[in-house]
Amino acid sequence: MTTLSEKILGGREGSFVDRKVDRAFAHDGTGVLALDSFRKMGGERPENPDNISIIYDHIVPANNSTTADLQHELRNFSKDAGINFYDVGCGICHQVMSEGVCRPGEIVVGADSHTCTLGAFGAFATGVGATDMAAIWETGETWFKVPETIQVNLEGKLTGHTEAKDATLEYIRMLGMDGASYMALEFTGSGAESLPMEGRLTMSNMAIEAGAKAGLFYSDKVTAEYLAHLGIESERQAAENPSYAKEIDIDLENLSPMLAVPHRVDTGVPVEKYAGTALDQVFVGTCTNGRYEDLKRFADIVRGRTVKVRTVVVPASRSVLEKAVSTGILLDIIQAGCAIGTPGCGPCLGMHMGVLGEGEVGLSTANRNFKNRMGVGAEYYLCSPSTAAASALAGEIRSPEEN
């Protein structure tokens, strides 16, 4: 009667445990804050620098002198402390950590709310604030309250142009934005087993948008093959008759392309309901949908055609960019009239590289559409890369099933 979170954390739901952290990471935003707290604690050198990563992704390249100065200080600290350091252009922290760093069964803590992405590997991965991260640097450990778990049972297989992002918007619609607060999600069923690794990363990524502490898949053949390609042997996990606080069911075969409507993530509806809505910008990327497979689905639709609205595409990592170049899909995207950004978060956090203006309407493959997040006074709809492609070609929201 053990959930995957209980097994990894070694405690029953509701209990408090102190645990060694296997992987810890921060980015250029939270890393600066963590460093300040670390120094105020009297810290000089992290306890386990080999297990810590600093990954520049949020404001890359630096957008002004203040940002550049802060990044310079954190860069020097990371190198002096022997921390694994990833500079401008390496990619988004969650994507970088998914490219051969994290393993099944590990406890992974990141100073970013979307650290739950890495639960796709069967790791307990969760986000913390900068002060907690500083304490992890100092001690190598942190505390957890073992969460209750909601089962998200996926059956069938995705069909047509429906993607894992659509299934993600559906489970968030069903749970609500606070329906899983301080709980874990376990994705199970034949549908979960059918999803490729990139789809699992998308679904785990947005667990936090339902308030969840973590979103986990069981490590299986798909996980093992993905990691083996990166030269890593991994364990497979099996359910141990877990007891769930709640269960929801999603039939993947009956899903259609979805949108989340401004200004909440739990407002999922079929794309057709808002078909024809004029757009000012389409954005493809982020830790949710900036992987190679996402860019390929986008490229397959826009290839040989021209977008009718400004379209920004930002690969999630350097390795994604390299593969997009080597396979030719990046050229397809560029020739369709899209702008390409430095691997990283792009305009998602509303700092630069494609922020919208007041009154503008955007369509984004990101994970959040909160009011004023990606531009003050703008509106943002969330969607999959396929829906983004069809809509970019039309200059308005359009289902990829109509393309």
Side-chain angles (χ1 to χ4, degrees):
M1 302 284 288
T2 303
T3 65
L4 191 50
S5 294
E6 289 176 318
K7 181 177 181 180
I8 295 171
L9 293 177
R12 304 301 297 179
E13 64 179 43
S15 65
F16 290 86
V17 297
D18 294 312
R19 292 291 179 264
K20 174 182 176 293
V21 175
D22 295 301
R23 313 282 174 188
F25 65 92
H27 51 67
D28 48 305
T30 56
V32 168
L33 300 174
L35 177 57
D36 181 62
S37 295
F38 181 69
R39 286 172 170 166
K40 288 178 179 177
M41 293 175 184
E44 296 181 0
R45 183 179 175 85
E47 176 69 17
N48 298 307
D50 289 345
N51 296 342
I52 300 170
S53 298
I54 297 292
I55 304 164
Y56 279 14
D57 62 3
H58 267 52
I59 309 178
V60 294
N63 61 349
N64 57 43
S65 296
T66 299
T67 301
D69 288 343
L70 291 170
Q71 290 185 0
H72 176 67
E73 182 180 9
L74 181 59
R75 183 181 288 113
N76 286 344
F77 167 77
S78 300
K79 293 179 178 179
D80 291 343
I83 290 171
N84 300 296
F85 181 70
Y86 300 83
D87 214 329
V88 173
C90 286
I92 305 171
C93 55
H94 315 297
Q95 179 64 21
V96 170
M97 297 296 288
S98 78
E99 294 175 348
V101 180
C102 293
R103 273 88 163 158
E106 291 187 334
I107 294 175
V108 181
V109 181
D112 186 277
S113 59
H114 289 106
T115 300
C116 50
T117 305
L118 300 161
F121 291 100
F124 186 87
T126 194
V128 298
T131 305
D132 285 317
M133 181 53 61
I136 292 170
W137 290 0
E138 179 70 14
T139 66
E141 301 179 350
T142 194
W143 65 272
F144 299 91
K145 180 182 178 182
V146 181
E148 295 180 290
T149 297
I150 296 175
Q151 179 188 31
V152 181
N153 185 51
L154 307 175
E155 295 297 334
K157 293 184 178 182
L158 295 168
T159 61
H161 287 291
T162 306
E163 303 182 21
K165 179 63 165 291
D166 302 307
T168 301
L169 295 177
E170 175 65 5
Y171 84 69
I172 295 171
R173 181 195 68 79
M174 295 174 72
L175 292 173
M177 284 177 62
D178 58 358
S181 292
Y182 214 104
M183 303 176 81
L185 305 181
E186 277 190 15
F187 300 100
T188 65
S190 63
E193 294 172 359
S194 73
L195 288 174
M197 205 65 225
E198 50 91 12
R200 298 180 185 194
L201 288 162
T202 294
M203 295 200 72
S204 291
N205 172 268
M206 292 185 67
I208 184 63
E209 308 310 332
K213 188 77 172 171
L216 301 91
F217 283 79
Y218 284 85
S219 174
D220 59 9
K221 180 180 178 181
V222 172
T223 320
E225 289 178 349
Y226 176 91
L227 291 173
H229 182 71
L230 298 170
I232 299 169
E233 293 185 6
S234 63
E235 65 178 64
R236 301 191 189 187
Q237 300 159 326
E240 299 179 3
N241 193 27
S243 177
Y244 297 115
K246 181 179 179 179
E247 301 174 12
I248 63 172
D249 298 299
I250 298 175
D251 182 355
L252 298 181
E253 291 185 9
N254 288 328
L255 274 182
S256 61
M258 301 276 289
L259 290 175
V261 181
H263 296 282
R264 292 176 63 94
V265 184
D266 60 357
T267 54
V269 294
V271 173
E272 289 84 353
K273 186 170 182 179
Y274 285 85
T277 301
L279 297 170
D280 295 291
Q281 178 174 290
V282 171
F283 168 46
V284 178
T286 78
C287 53
T288 311
N289 283 126
R291 285 170 275 280
Y292 173 78
E293 294 82 358
D294 298 313
L295 302 192
K296 184 177 186 304
R297 283 192 290 272
F298 181 86
D300 286 345
I301 292 174
V302 303
R303 182 177 295 111
R305 305 169 71 180
T306 303
V307 298
K308 293 183 179 179
V309 62
R310 72 178 185 268
T311 302
V312 178
V313 177
V314 181
S317 72
R318 176 171 290 146
S319 67
V320 170
L321 176 59
E322 289 175 350
K323 188 172 182 179
V325 170
S326 66
T327 60
I329 68 167
L330 189 68
L331 183 59
D332 294 328
I333 293 170
I334 293 171
Q335 290 180 336
C338 304
I340 309 300
T342 301
C345 299
C348 180
L349 65 154
M351 295 300 292
H352 67 161
M353 293 180 67
V355 176
L356 276 72
E358 184 174 0
E360 289 194 308
V361 177
L363 183 65
S364 169
T365 66
N367 42 47
R368 288 179 176 158
N369 61 348
F370 305 153
K371 190 173 184 178
N372 298 333
R373 175 177 171 86
M374 212 168 81
V376 176
E379 292 187 341
Y380 332 95
Y381 294 79
L382 303 180
C383 70
S384 71
S386 292
T387 297
S391 301
L393 291 173
E396 61 186 29
I397 291 177
R398 178 171 295 181
S399 172
E401 303 291 3
E402 300 176 17
N403 191 57

